[in-house]
Amino acid sequence: LLELGVLPIVNENDTVATHEIRFGDNDRLAALVAHLVHADALVLLTDVEALYTDHPSQPGARRIDEVRSAADLRDIDISRRGAAVGTGGMQTKIEAARIATSAGIPVVLAKADRAAEALRGEAVGTVFHPTGKRRPTRLLWLAHITDAHGELVVDDGAVRALTERKASLLPAGIVRVHGTFRAGQPVDVVATDGTLIARGLTNYASTELPDLIGRSTTDLVAQYGRGYERTVIHRDALALLGRRPEPARG
């Protein structure tokens, strides 16, 4: 549509969305679409002038003109649903900004009646500066859209290999398996202290892994054959996250 000069309007329809394809809210959907179409910027419109440390009606609420890192959001209270426009409130807009900026896309949060100024690049609202680089759409989907069907608890060596060397996950680094899942489904990779490290597509089902954990691929090939040379999660199907996990399903 963009190549044809048509401006598409994308909206999540609650009457037809199923759990498997549900994005959660239109702010989040906007961030994902911005990445998909390689947008130069994402503009989020609301009914307040900018991001504030508290609801704008509260005494002492301070306006924030720029956000360069998570540290700039530490003093913000977003527990109230301050915005009358839309259903997500300010919290979903901050989450959408986090998704977009982590993928290298700057974000402007502005009042709806200042949309024209925001699109012209004028100094309105709050600007969220990029914090990361653009990454493959598949990894953005893994990180922000999929639901994990289980957890793989890994040792410290595996954590370092995944986060520092960008390696694949091997059976030797796994210490426990939680949940019920099939090969090809998303699972969370969790450190022994409960920190969520990554989410990826597993090459093994939950019924296969307990007999493989802690063992080298050399041993597995010797016992089971060449089919067990494969990684548990290949690095190309692994999205690093680095935040606390939700309870595993199943």
Side-chain angles (χ1 to χ4, degrees):
L1 289 175
L2 292 172
E3 290 176 355
L4 292 171
V6 176
L7 180 63
I9 297 176
V10 184
N11 183 70
E12 179 169 280
N13 189 333
D14 292 337
T15 64
V16 299
T18 67
H19 176 74
E20 287 75 15
I21 64 173
R22 187 174 178 83
F23 293 93
D25 59 78
N26 282 315
D27 295 318
R28 183 186 184 90
L29 181 57
L32 295 168
V33 171
H35 182 274
L36 181 67
V37 302
H38 306 288
D40 295 321
L42 171 64
V43 179
L44 298 173
L45 300 177
T46 183
D47 62 347
V48 294
E49 290 288 345
L51 180 65
Y52 287 79
T53 54
D54 200 344
H55 192 279
S57 64
Q58 295 298 304
R62 178 172 53 85
R63 173 173 169 156
I64 297 176
D65 293 324
E66 292 185 286
V67 175
R68 296 186 178 275
S69 70
D72 296 330
L73 301 174
R74 284 181 301 192
D75 298 329
I76 296 177
D77 181 2
I78 55 174
S79 58
R80 302 182 182 213
R81 295 169 63 91
V85 177
T87 60
M90 194 58 70
Q91 185 168 1
T92 64
K93 288 177 172 52
I94 291 177
E95 172 64 13
R98 186 186 69 80
I99 293 172
T101 55
S102 68
I105 301 172
V107 177
V108 178
L109 173 67
K111 195 172 183 180
D113 61 10
R114 307 296 298 275
E117 292 100 315
L119 292 173
R120 288 197 297 265
E122 298 181 14
V124 297
T126 298
V127 177
F128 293 78
H129 295 275
T131 59
K133 298 180 180 179
R134 293 186 186 271
R135 53 179 168 168
T137 302
R138 183 189 193 195
L139 296 186
L140 200 74
W141 165 76
L142 265 174
H144 300 293
I145 302 176
T146 57
D147 288 325
H149 291 259
E151 288 181 352
L152 305 181
V153 182
V154 300
D155 59 26
D156 293 343
V159 171
R160 289 192 296 272
L162 296 175
T163 59
E164 297 174 11
R165 302 202 306 271
K166 304 298 187 292
S168 300
L169 179 62
L170 301 175
I174 302 173
V175 296
R176 288 189 301 278
V177 178
H178 300 301
T180 302
F181 49 85
R182 302 186 305 274
Q185 289 188 315
V187 295
D188 284 339
V189 179
V190 183
T192 53
D193 66 356
T195 300
L196 179 59
I197 304 301
R199 181 169 295 164
L201 301 179
T202 174
N203 290 319
Y204 291 93
S206 55
T207 54
E208 298 176 276
L209 281 173
D211 292 334
L212 312 182
I213 60 177
R215 302 178 62 183
S216 70
T217 52
T218 302
D219 291 341
L220 294 173
V221 169
Q223 182 173 353
Y224 298 112
R226 299 299 296 269
Y228 285 80
E229 280 184 321
R230 64 190 188 274
T231 60
V232 177
I233 301 177
H234 193 275
R235 63 183 180 181
D236 292 340
L238 187 78
L240 295 177
L241 300 174
R243 60 179 188 272
R244 302 296 297 182
E246 297 177 357
R249 297 174 179 232

